[in-house]
């Protein structure tokens, strides 16, 4: 039994990380370029399909071609860098992003031949905290890249990134406190099960629950959702908060000195963080893997088709959220640095703190 | 022994090795950035040991607070220093003597405490399967039995924060 469990866990790690997450990273780069092109009224990469044929397939071969290009490009290490750290930095951005997917519930459970396989790699009791802890380590990759490059612009990028990520980690952490108070639970699997039974947190229109309490709770939930999403943009260094790599001021910020696959790792690490962030947002606010309108929530023994439907439900919501990330990137201009800091410290921090008390008040008096 | 126990033992040795090697690296290295990174490695090894003891919250907080927040600030300051002069710095006799004295006192204390126990003599009871999670238990203890100390620590931290602001503002004038 022991060995079966270990084997199943290994298969889950390989399938969910390397066969679900990594292709998603590659294809969200493609999606970003296509959506950007659509928004700017261009065509975008639409030709790379099956080699030596005329099948373009909407450019779906582009990520593979990009990967090949990155691998075969000359890997340049400038003479003035601190070599050891210069090599370590890209790995340090990529590894935490991949590690955090261990606690995201990708689906309910697959019922295969009597075995119930939960579609989460590690069912921890401290899910969101685990994600924040590991994600907070990913700042080292950027800081180290900035410092190890030993030149002006990367260093400025690294310093900016440090203060930005520390500032927004606080509002990110505080924004989910009301959510956890509502669930009374830190286990992400249990959180999704709760939403499966009681309706999604942002759309509590089906399932059980007191009407007035649910209606009033929507206020703190929406505030939390806004703070969480905006802080997530800042944490993943995405536009409108991509100050660490702001091209117009810092060349390319912390990865100015990087080339070939090492540059690609920074790039992929950013997208991995974005996907995990979307996954967490979907899990906390949009019902995770649960189907809309409470379909199938009354079944205790989930048949195989329901497990598969849950998996795809999660993927579709996550992809929707990623598209939202991309849409925002090409719609909003970049913040100035002082505006960014003021937004984080003066507005979000206080609002998130007040939101905790508001939620406690509603939970206490409208029960 | 069961396979699971062998694996747990093996993991214990791996993570303790990481923690000890990291701690050694902090004091052996001359480069402050390398030292800081060794300290982070030590924290992560320690957090893994906590998690192995089923103390998930303590382990995660170890990474979140020390690994993710405190050390980032340390590194932030270290990176702004002049690295070459730090690497050239030599320690005086007084500093070495004081360091030796402190570590000898600490080792003696440790030996006094640990000398009373032989390995495996104290076995903790197994938690019942339906026990509350560690987050819940820590939360309950903190807000019932230890409520007053928690409040005192909170006020102390607030005073420290205000003190830092006052001191840094005074320098600006």
């Amino acid at each position: 039994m022991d060995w079966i469990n270990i084997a199943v866990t290994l298969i889950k790690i390989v399938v969910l990380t390397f066969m679900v997450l990594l292709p998603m990273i590659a294809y969200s780069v493609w999606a970003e370029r296509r959506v950007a092109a659509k928004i700017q009224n261009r065509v975008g990469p639409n030709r790379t399909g099956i080699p030596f044929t005329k099948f373009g397939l909407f450019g779906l071969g582009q990520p593979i071609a990009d990967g090949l290009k990155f691998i075969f490009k000359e890997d340049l290490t400038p003479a003035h860098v601190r070599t050891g750290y210069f090599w370590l930095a890209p790995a340090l951005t990529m590894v935490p992003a991949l590690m955090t997917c261990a606690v995201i519930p990708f689906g309910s459970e697959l019922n295969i031949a009597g075995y119930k396989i939960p579609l989460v790699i590690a069912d921890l009791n401290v899910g969101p905290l685990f994600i924040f802890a590991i994600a907070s380590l990913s700042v080292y990759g950027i800081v180290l890249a900035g410092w190890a490059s030993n030149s002006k612009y990367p260093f400025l990028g690294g310093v900016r990134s440090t203060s930005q990520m520390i500032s927004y980690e606080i509002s990110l952490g505080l924004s989910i406190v009301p959510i956890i108070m509502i669930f009374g639970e830190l286990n992400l699997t249990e959180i999704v099960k709760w939403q499966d039974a009681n309706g999604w947190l942002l759309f509590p229109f089906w399932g059980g629950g007191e009407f007035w309490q649910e209606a009033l709770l929507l206020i703190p939930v929406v505030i939390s959702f806004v703070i969480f999403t905006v802080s997530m943009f800042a944490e993943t260094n995405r536009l409108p908060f991509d100050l660490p790599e702001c091209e117009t001021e810092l060349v390319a910020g912390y990865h100015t000195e990087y080339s070939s696959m090492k540059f690609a790792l920074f790039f992929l690490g950013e997208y991995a963080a974005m996907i995990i962030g979307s996954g967490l947002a979907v899990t906390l606010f949009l019902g995770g893997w649960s189907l809309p309108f409470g379909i199938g929530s009354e079944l205790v023994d989930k048949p195989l088709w329901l497990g598969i439907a849950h998996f795809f439900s999660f993927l579709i919501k996550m992809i929707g959220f990623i598209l939202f990330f991309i849409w925002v990137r090409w719609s909003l201009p970049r913040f100035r640095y002082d505006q960014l800091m003021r937004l984080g410290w003066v507005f979000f921090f206080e609002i998130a703190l007040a939101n905790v008390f508001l939620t406690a008040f509603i939970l206490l008096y409208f029960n | 022994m069961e396979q699971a126990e062998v694996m747990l033992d093996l993991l214990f040795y791996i993570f303790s090795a990481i923690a000890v090697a990291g701690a050694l690296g902090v004091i052996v290295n001359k480069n402050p950035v390398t030292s800081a990174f060794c300290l982070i490695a030590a924290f992560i090894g320690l957090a893994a040991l906590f998690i192995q003891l089923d103390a998930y919250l303590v382990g995660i907080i170890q990474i979140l607070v020390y690994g993710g927040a405190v050390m980032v600030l340390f590194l932030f300051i270290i990176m702004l220093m002049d690295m070459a002069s730090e690497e050239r710095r030599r320690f005086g006799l007084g500093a070495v003597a004081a360091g030796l004295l402190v570590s000898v006192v600490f080792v003696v204390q440790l030996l006094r405490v640990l000398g009373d126990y032989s390995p495996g003599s104290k076995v903790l009871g197994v938690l019942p399967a339906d026990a509350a999670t560690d987050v819940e238990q820590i939360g309950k203890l903190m807000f019932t039995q230890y409520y007053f100390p928690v409040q005192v620590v909170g006020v102390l931290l607030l005073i420290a924060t205000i003190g830092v602001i006052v001191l840094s503002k005074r320098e600006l004038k």
Side-chain angles (χ1 to χ4, degrees), chain A residues 74-133:
Chain A
E74 189 188 354
D75 188 41
L76 206 71
T77 308
H80 57 79
V81 301
R82 300 176 168 95
T83 318
Y85 288 114
F86 189 76
W87 279 71
L88 190 63
L92 278 182
T93 42
M94 191 65 184
V95 170
L98 288 184
M99 261 175 80
T100 41
C101 90
V103 292
I104 299 257
F106 282 84
S108 52
E109 53 193 24
L110 289 182
N111 200 338
I112 297 175
Y115 283 110
K116 282 180 184 167
I117 304 171
L119 271 183
V120 52
I121 296 170
D123 198 6
L124 283 188
N125 278 328
V126 286
L129 287 181
F130 177 85
I131 292 182
F132 289 159

Side-chain angles (χ1 to χ4, degrees), chain A residues 2-3 6 82 85 92 124-126 129-130 132-133 136-137 139-140 143-144 147 155 159 162 166 169 186, chain B residues 3-4 7 31 33-34 37 40 44 56-57 60 63-64 67-69 71-73 75-76 79-80 83 133 135:
Chain A
D2 253 12
W3 290 110
I6 292 173
R82 300 176 168 95
Y85 288 114
L92 278 182
L124 283 188
N125 278 328
V126 286
L129 287 181
F130 177 85
F132 289 159
S136 72
L137 292 180
V139 67
Y140 289 118
V143 174
L144 210 53
W147 177 75
F155 186 71
V159 169
T162 318
I166 288 180
E169 233 164 59
L186 267 172
Chain B
Q3 285 149 349
M7 202 168 145
N31 186 327
V33 172
T34 313
F37 268 91
I40 295 163
I44 292 174
Y56 289 104
L57 184 70
I60 293 298
I63 296 181
L64 191 67
M71 286 315 290
V72 175
L73 288 176
L75 211 61
F76 193 75
M79 287 195 316
L80 298 174
M83 218 46 74
T133 59
V135 185

